[in-house]
Amino acid sequence: MIVGASSNSAKRGNVALRYLAQNGYQGKVYPVNPHSEVIHGFTCYANITDVEQAVDLAVICTPADTVAQILSECGSIGCAGAAILAGGFSETGTKGENLQAQVLKVARQQGIRIIGPNTSGLFNTHCRANLVGYEGLQAGAIGILSQSGNMALAFVTEGLLRGVGFSTYVGVGNEADIQFHEYLDYFKHDDNTSVVIVYVEGFSQGADFVEKTREFVRHKPLVIYKTGRTQAGKNAAVSHTGALAGDYKVAGEVMRQAGAIVVEQSDLVLPIANALASLPFAAGGRVAVLTDGGGQGTIAADALVERALTLPALAAETVSKLKSILPTTASLSNPVDVAGAADQRPGVLSDCAGILLQDKGIDALLIVGLFGCYHHRFSSELLDAEFDAFRALRGHINDSTKPVILHSIYAGHPLATWLIAQEMTLPVYASIEDAAASIKALTAYGETRACHQAAAARTAPEVKKASVETPIFGTEDSNKRFALTEPEARASLLEYGLSMPTGTVLENLDKVAELESRWFNQPLAIKVVSRDVVHKSDSGGVILSVQGRDNIIKSIQQIAARVKKHSPHANIDGYLLLPMAAPGLEVIVGCYRDPQFGPVIMFGLGGIHVEVLKDVVFRSVPLSKEEALKMVREIRAAALLQGLRGGKAIDIDSLGLLIQQLGNFFVDRPAVEEIDLNPVFLYEQGLFIADTRIITRIDPDFDLMCCKKEILPGESVEA
């Protein structure tokens, strides 16, 4: 049903009907227009209530202020869903938000699901329902979910040039009702869709999208292009759809963790999606390059290695077979350069491809240069030989489970050979870099299919509840945030099972006399304990490398004086004494609740480096230890973890366990807003958490494991 059908060819209500007619849609169509009898061959109805049959979808092409009443009338005839094209809703501000809330209320009362509002529309090529009016739509296997109609149009237009078709498109609009993640269920079960492209500016339910992604990628690849990398991009997203773009780095890494292919160049989205739709995924990242020109072989090698792929040495048997069919001038290493042998005998390249695909040390093959174009470059008499070469290549591909990607200097030219490539669903790339990026995506999805788990399996350590508990939140309002004192934070993490260094708390100077002698015989870090002092160093509340009774007393006096000067109204509860950490590699591990994706953990270089270098990575939690270890290896300075210039490698195992346990703690403690372990010193064996900060909010339903009263103050917090 087209509500707002129009005889004006510029109106959306006319465009939808025109393309339904042109494309041969076979379903029932009900245009609603009280002033016309027939539009594009479809009989019009004066009113919605004149339609006597239940309708699957109403496409509402009328202004925003008419939509609520229209939905009410749609409900009266049993309409199941509605696509609302009009803008003027939540993306425009408070007035629009109120209007959208009214529309959603009516839709729910009537049992109608909504696409949009502010949607560009939708299409399904396989049932010939083109409700956006895109010209020249080709049926294919790529689905599109997009917050931008223009981006969807860009993909479709590029597809026309590349000979790539599409299955279903949905413009999600403002997501007043149906959310991004809900559409994934449809695409997962749609037999006409092999891969889905998602263009997103911001998520309203990011955590749900990630969870659905984990399930979706078990069946099909998901290619995501997200904007909002800069503040200007974030601002544009808000004005476009009202979507909050959020932190781009967090979004990208969390979606990669879930198994999506995240693309950072818009012109790579379709080439990568086409490869994933057309080719088998790669079992690993070992790539063979076959070229008829040394320069392009070199470019291909660079492009692949820059994307963390490898060009392994070929097996001796492979080299022997290549040697038997190539001239002595050919290069038989990887890349394999046939040195002009295919210029007059195109089939040589096909034969080489067959040999390389049989090598067990190769996961994918990239052919670069002139394959398929020798008749165009040298002589039209070579055309039949090129057809034969393509047929031979098709046979080798069919006999293999490995992906083959073809680059050509003449990609995009109207050559007869490309028709065969299209029949073979063999992507042909004009850019070697695009081809390399596509192989990387095939490798990444292969890894996802082999390793991805829908949720990290974990068993939280048993938490021993203290028999006598000390309240740590007070009775403040639930919207306020509080910092636990460091002893409280350490005790909470310790009882959860994390390895924490030994410490003790002194209420005042008089307690120094009660310390065991071991506290005087080692260098200590002394820190103020106060709920009113969150940033201890800024207030002068930390002194390091303190040793001996007199120095402990002197340092406590200095800390008390500095804190009172910096924060006159701060109440000092005591002083935490910790052994000094031995020199080691400083890292940071922290958690916070992302507004779009929920609980997230961060890892990176710590100490002063975290602010300057910003070498950090993110994951959603909970996560497995394997995911934690993979996270650790992704920082730019990962080589430091292996030891440099004779240095010893650090204990990656203990670090991975810390990250996993901290993530579990954070998920199990919903009243905890932030955790900051910085710095954590890493060693050849074990680690040392030098500073701990936990920020909480009040939640009446939350039972945080509280600190044992005897620990605060005066007793050791034993590791």
Side-chain angles (χ1 to χ4, degrees), residues 62-69 86-87 89 99:
T62 57
D65 57 3
T66 67
V67 172
Q69 178 59 36
F89 291 94
L99 184 57

Side-chain angles (χ1 to χ4, degrees), residues 102-122:
Q102 179 188 357
V103 165
L104 182 59
K105 180 179 179 181
V106 173
R108 287 178 172 166
Q109 289 172 343
Q110 299 297 329
I112 298 172
R113 297 303 306 271
I114 294 175
I115 298 172
N118 189 29
T119 173
S120 56
L122 63 157

Side-chain angles (χ1 to χ4, degrees), residues 82-196:
I84 303 172
L85 306 187
F89 291 94
S90 63
E91 78 280 5
T92 63
T94 303
K95 183 178 179 181
E97 288 173 356
N98 294 336
L99 184 57
Q100 183 167 301
Q102 179 188 357
V103 165
L104 182 59
K105 180 179 179 181
V106 173
R108 287 178 172 166
Q109 289 172 343
Q110 299 297 329
I112 298 172
R113 297 303 306 271
I114 294 175
I115 298 172
N118 189 29
T119 173
S120 56
L122 63 157
F123 67 65
N124 183 322
T125 59
H126 294 277
C127 70
R128 301 182 180 184
N130 180 358
L131 296 172
V132 272
Y134 290 160
E135 187 70 43
L137 270 178
Q138 298 181 64
I142 300 175
I144 305 174
L145 271 176
S146 180
Q147 281 181 328
S148 165
N150 274 1
M151 281 305 300
L153 177 59
F155 295 140
V156 169
T157 303
E158 185 181 352
L160 289 173
L161 298 175
R162 292 179 177 269
V164 176
F166 301 87
S167 57
T168 296
Y169 160 64
V170 180
V172 300
N174 293 1
E175 299 176 80
D177 179 24
I178 305 177
Q179 302 292 306
F180 252 119
H181 65 274
E182 295 182 88
Y183 294 107
L184 293 183
D185 282 331
Y186 163 79
F187 282 112
K188 182 178 75 175
H189 295 103
D190 180 29
D191 292 337
N192 293 316
T193 299
S194 298
V195 60
V196 174

Side-chain angles (χ1 to χ4, degrees), residues 90-430:
S90 63
E91 78 280 5
T92 63
T94 303
K95 183 178 179 181
E97 288 173 356
N98 294 336
L99 184 57
Q100 183 167 301
Q102 179 188 357
V103 165
L104 182 59
K105 180 179 179 181
V106 173
R108 287 178 172 166
Q109 289 172 343
Q110 299 297 329
I112 298 172
R113 297 303 306 271
I114 294 175
I115 298 172
N118 189 29
T119 173
S120 56
L122 63 157
F123 67 65
N124 183 322
T125 59
H126 294 277
C127 70
R128 301 182 180 184
N130 180 358
L131 296 172
V132 272
Y134 290 160
E135 187 70 43
L137 270 178
Q138 298 181 64
I142 300 175
I144 305 174
L145 271 176
S146 180
Q147 281 181 328
S148 165
N150 274 1
M151 281 305 300
L153 177 59
F155 295 140
V156 169
T157 303
E158 185 181 352
L160 289 173
L161 298 175
R162 292 179 177 269
V164 176
F166 301 87
S167 57
T168 296
Y169 160 64
V170 180
V172 300
N174 293 1
E175 299 176 80
D177 179 24
I178 305 177
Q179 302 292 306
F180 252 119
H181 65 274
E182 295 182 88
Y183 294 107
L184 293 183
D185 282 331
Y186 163 79
F187 282 112
K188 182 178 75 175
H189 295 103
D190 180 29
D191 292 337
N192 293 316
T193 299
S194 298
V195 60
V196 174
I197 292 171
V198 173
Y199 169 82
V200 61
E201 295 171 355
F203 293 103
S204 57
Q205 296 182 16
D208 291 331
F209 181 84
V210 168
E211 191 60 36
K212 283 291 184 183
T213 296
R214 289 193 181 102
E215 172 58 26
F216 182 88
V217 297
R218 291 182 174 275
H219 306 274
K220 300 174 183 180
L222 191 68
V223 178
I224 297 179
Y225 181 75
K226 187 185 182 306
T227 57
R229 292 191 293 273
T230 66
Q231 190 57 50
K234 293 178 182 180
N235 294 341
V238 173
S239 63
H240 179 211
T241 63
L244 294 176
D247 188 293
Y248 178 83
K249 186 173 178 63
V250 171
E253 293 183 3
V254 166
M255 289 187 289
R256 284 191 184 95
Q257 177 190 3
I261 305 297
V262 180
V263 181
E264 297 188 347
Q265 289 179 225
S266 60
D267 58 352
L268 280 176
V269 173
L270 190 59
I272 285 174
N274 188 33
L276 290 164
S278 307
L279 301 173
F281 53 80
R286 303 169 301 176
V287 184
V289 175
L290 178 60
T291 179
D292 50 21
Q296 287 169 327
T298 302
I299 293 170
D302 284 342
L304 292 166
V305 171
E306 286 169 354
R307 289 160 178 80
L309 300 168
T310 61
L311 279 74
L314 302 175
E317 182 182 2
T318 300
V319 173
S320 178
K321 289 179 179 179
L322 291 171
K323 187 175 182 180
S324 69
I325 64 172
L326 292 175
T328 56
T329 53
S331 172
L332 304 182
S333 60
N334 189 10
V336 175
D337 183 356
V338 301
D343 291 358
Q344 300 302 315
R345 294 185 298 127
V348 168
L349 224 57
S350 300
D351 295 339
C352 290
I355 293 169
L356 290 169
L357 287 171
Q358 292 174 2
D359 192 317
K360 294 181 180 179
I362 297 300
D363 300 310
L365 173 62
L366 171 59
I367 303 173
V368 297
L370 285 169
F371 186 76
C373 313
Y374 297 107
H375 72 284
H376 184 72
R377 172 70 177 85
F378 298 112
S379 171
S380 60
E381 294 179 0
L382 293 172
L383 182 58
D384 288 340
E386 293 219 87
F387 285 154
D388 291 340
F390 261 106
R391 295 186 188 100
L393 181 61
R394 175 160 45 192
H396 297 314
I397 290 173
N398 291 341
D399 291 340
S400 175
T401 59
K402 302 172 183 179
V404 176
I405 282 186
L406 179 61
H407 157 268
S408 173
I409 295 171
Y410 292 101
H413 288 242
L415 304 182
T417 44
W418 297 151
L419 296 177
I420 299 180
Q422 194 169 351
E423 290 174 7
M424 295 167 58
T425 65
L426 177 64
V428 181
Y429 293 85

Side-chain angles (χ1 to χ4, degrees), residues 43-101:
T43 301
C44 294
Y45 294 77
N47 301 291
I48 293 171
T49 52
D50 293 337
V51 178
E52 297 179 351
Q53 297 186 24
V55 173
D56 294 322
L57 177 69
V59 180
I60 301 176
C61 310
T62 57
D65 57 3
T66 67
V67 172
Q69 178 59 36
I70 287 171
L71 284 174
S72 181
E73 294 177 22
C74 287
S76 70
I77 64 167
C79 183
I84 303 172
L85 306 187
F89 291 94
S90 63
E91 78 280 5
T92 63
T94 303
K95 183 178 179 181
E97 288 173 356
N98 294 336
L99 184 57
Q100 183 167 301

Side-chain angles (χ1 to χ4, degrees), residues 436-678:
S438 296
I439 292 177
K440 176 64 177 178
L442 292 166
T443 301
Y445 187 62
E447 181 181 351
T448 293
R449 288 291 295 263
C451 305
H452 184 66
Q453 299 175 351
R458 67 181 180 88
T459 302
E462 181 180 354
V463 177
K464 298 178 181 179
K465 297 289 185 180
S467 56
V468 180
E469 296 183 342
T470 301
I472 60 177
F473 293 126
T475 57
E476 299 290 340
D477 181 79
S478 62
N479 291 322
K480 294 184 178 179
R481 289 155 50 92
F482 299 88
L484 272 65
T485 64
E486 187 169 353
E488 291 170 341
R490 286 179 176 274
S492 298
L493 294 172
L494 177 66
E495 291 203 25
Y496 194 80
L498 277 74
S499 176
M500 302 292 290
T502 303
T504 191
V505 175
L506 305 180
E507 287 180 298
N508 50 54
L509 283 174
D510 295 339
K511 297 295 183 180
V512 174
E514 301 176 12
L515 285 172
E516 298 176 6
S517 60
R518 64 188 177 96
W519 293 104
F520 305 130
N521 299 327
Q522 58 180 320
L524 303 174
I526 303 180
K527 308 181 185 184
V528 68
V529 178
S530 172
R531 298 191 188 283
D532 302 317
V533 179
V534 177
H535 301 288
K536 298 183 288 291
S537 295
D538 293 347
S539 65
V542 179
I543 297 180
L544 304 178
S545 301
V546 179
Q547 188 166 351
R549 181 190 302 271
D550 292 344
N551 287 329
I552 290 174
I553 294 172
K554 181 179 178 181
S555 296
I556 289 175
Q557 291 171 335
Q558 288 177 345
I559 288 173
R562 291 174 183 174
V563 170
K564 283 299 181 184
K565 182 178 180 180
H566 184 273
S567 305
H569 303 293
N571 293 316
I572 297 178
D573 301 315
Y575 305 89
L576 173 64
L577 276 59
L578 283 172
M580 283 293 295
L585 180 63
E586 294 184 43
V587 299
I588 180 173
V589 183
C591 297
Y592 77 100
R593 301 195 182 274
D594 185 85
Q596 293 189 352
F597 298 103
V600 168
I601 196 164
M602 174 192 72
F603 166 76
L605 289 185
I608 62 171
H609 301 110
V610 68
E611 294 295 334
V612 177
L613 300 179
K614 294 182 170 56
D615 188 7
V616 294
V617 291
F618 299 87
R619 291 291 188 274
S620 63
V621 288
L623 76 172
S624 66
K625 187 176 178 182
E626 291 72 22
E627 287 178 305
L629 292 173
K630 184 177 179 182
M631 177 184 186
V632 165
R633 297 185 183 102
E634 285 186 8
I635 62 171
R636 296 191 303 274
L640 292 175
L641 306 176
Q642 305 303 318
L644 292 177
R645 296 185 178 180
K648 295 179 179 179
I650 63 100
D651 186 352
I652 292 285
D653 229 38
S654 294
L655 177 58
L657 180 61
L658 170 65
I659 292 171
Q660 182 191 24
Q661 288 181 320
L662 190 68
N664 292 345
F665 174 88
F666 194 54
V667 170
D668 289 343
R669 304 289 186 268
V672 174
E673 286 284 298
E674 296 177 19
I675 304 176
D676 200 7
L677 309 183
N678 182 32

